[in-house]
Amino acid sequence: MMKRRNFLKLCLASGLGRSSSLFGPGFVNQSYQDNPLKQPFSIIHLDGGNDAYNTVIPIALAEYYKERPSLALAAESVLSLPGSTSYGLNSALKNLHKRFNQGQVAIYLGIGYPDVSFSHHRAKQIWHTGEPERLCDDFWAHSRLNLKLKPISVRDFDTHVDQAAKHREALLNLDKKIGQLNKGSLCFIYSEMGRSLKENSDKGTDHGHANVAFLLGEKVRGGIYGDYLRAEDEFATDFRDVFGTIEKLIG
C-alpha cells in the first residue's frame, strides 16, 4: 500500500493549495450552480461501478484477454499512455488522454480500502464519507474541506449485461464532462466499486474488487500509480490517501 507521504509527491503544493481567492470555505458560489464543473474543485462519480479493466486497459496482462473473450479491448485499439507498455486508455476518453499527455492526470490503479463492499448503497456511502470502518453520513469534502460541494454523477456504469456498447457510451459522457473543466481546476473522478476481471454469460461484468480513480489538474504530477495485480482482499492505493492529497492541495 502506498504511504500518504508518497502521494504528496504527486502534486506541487505551492500556488494551488494556498490561494484563498480560489479555494476555502466560500469558493463554491452561485456563479457555479448552473455548471459545477466550472468551479475550482469538482468531483465526478461514475455511478454503478465502473469497469476499471476496460477504462485503463492492462494490455500486457494475458489473463485479461483469457477471461474476456468478447469484452477485451485489443492493444491496437486503445490510446497509448506515455511511459507505459502495460496499460492503455479507452479510446472514448480523448479529453482525458490529452490531459494525461500534458502531465496533468494521476491514474490510481487498484484503489480501494479494507474489506471492500460490493453493495452499491454501502460502497457509495463509504466513498462519500471516507469512512470504511464506521457508519456516518457526513460528506468527506464538507467535513475536511468545509465546502458546499456535491459530486456530479455520470450514470450507466452498472454493466452486468451487454457491456461493450453501454460502457463506451458512459465513458463518452464522462469525457464530455472532462472537456468542460476549466483549465486551472482540480477534479477527482471515482466509482464506488470496480468490476470482475472475468466476463459473465450475458457479455457483461459483475461487481469486482479492482477499481480506478483519476485526479486531474495543472498542479498534479501525472502518471500511473499502483496496479491491478492484487488479491481480492488487497489494494494498491488507499482512497483516503488521495483524499489527503486533495486536502493538502486545496489547503
Side-chain angles (χ1 to χ4, degrees):
M1 189 187 308
M2 193 175 292
K3 301 296 184 182
R4 178 170 296 184
R5 63 177 177 269
N6 293 327
F7 275 94
L8 298 181
K9 296 177 182 179
L10 300 179
C11 310
L12 299 174
S14 62
L16 180 63
R18 300 293 175 235
S19 175
S20 60
S21 63
L22 288 179
F23 297 100
F27 88 80
V28 179
N29 58 44
Q30 189 62 41
S31 64
Y32 298 122
Q33 296 307 305
D34 292 337
N35 189 351
L37 290 166
K38 296 298 183 182
Q39 60 198 19
F41 174 51
S42 58
I43 299 174
I44 299 176
H45 169 226
L46 310 183
D47 194 359
N50 176 42
D51 181 15
Y53 292 112
N54 272 25
T55 302
V56 181
I57 298 91
I59 55 177
L61 184 62
E63 189 179 2
Y64 166 75
Y65 292 98
K66 177 183 177 182
E67 298 291 355
R68 296 189 170 205
S70 69
L71 291 180
L73 299 176
E76 58 269 21
S77 72
V78 306
L79 301 172
S80 62
L81 293 171
S84 176
T85 58
S86 299
Y87 299 98
L89 192 65
N90 192 294
S91 62
L93 296 171
K94 290 181 170 55
N95 286 317
L96 183 64
H97 185 246
K98 179 180 178 180
R99 289 190 177 231
F100 185 88
N101 288 343
Q102 295 170 342
Q104 298 179 10
V105 179
I107 300 175
Y108 304 105
L109 301 177
I111 191 168
Y113 53 88
D115 299 319
V116 63
S117 174
F118 293 138
S119 158
H120 285 293
H121 176 76
R122 177 58 182 146
K124 288 177 183 179
Q125 185 182 48
I126 288 170
W127 278 87
H128 185 82
T129 63
E131 295 286 352
E133 283 93 16
R134 67 186 184 94
L135 294 175
C136 70
D137 295 318
D138 296 330
F139 184 28
W140 70 270
H142 292 173
S143 59
R144 296 172 68 166
L145 304 176
N146 193 25
L147 305 167
K148 298 176 181 179
L149 183 70
K150 293 182 180 179
I152 300 151
S153 287
V154 180
R155 303 187 184 280
D156 299 326
F157 284 93
D158 198 12
T159 51
H160 289 278
V161 178
D162 296 330
Q163 174 176 304
K166 294 176 181 177
H167 188 238
R168 181 171 180 80
E169 185 63 29
L171 290 179
L172 285 170
N173 289 335
L174 166 62
D175 204 54
K176 289 178 183 176
K177 293 190 181 301
I178 292 172
Q180 296 173 34
L181 294 170
N182 279 343
K183 183 180 179 181
S185 65
L186 183 71
C187 180
F188 180 57
I189 302 171
Y190 78 97
S191 188
E192 73 266 22
M193 67 179 71
R195 307 198 74 81
S196 59
L197 176 62
K198 183 179 179 64
E199 69 177 68
N200 61 33
S201 59
D202 293 317
K203 295 187 177 180
T205 55
D206 299 317
H207 299 174
H209 183 77
N211 206 343
V212 63
F214 306 92
L215 186 61
L216 288 67
E218 290 184 336
K219 301 298 182 179
V220 172
R221 183 173 295 173
I224 300 173
Y225 303 90
D227 57 59
Y228 293 139
L229 305 178
R230 304 280 161 166
E232 282 297 302
D233 59 346
E234 295 179 336
F235 50 92
T237 301
D238 191 308
F239 77 121
R240 291 165 292 185
D241 286 335
V242 182
F243 290 176
T245 296
I246 294 169
E247 186 177 2
K248 291 288 185 181
L249 283 173
I250 294 177

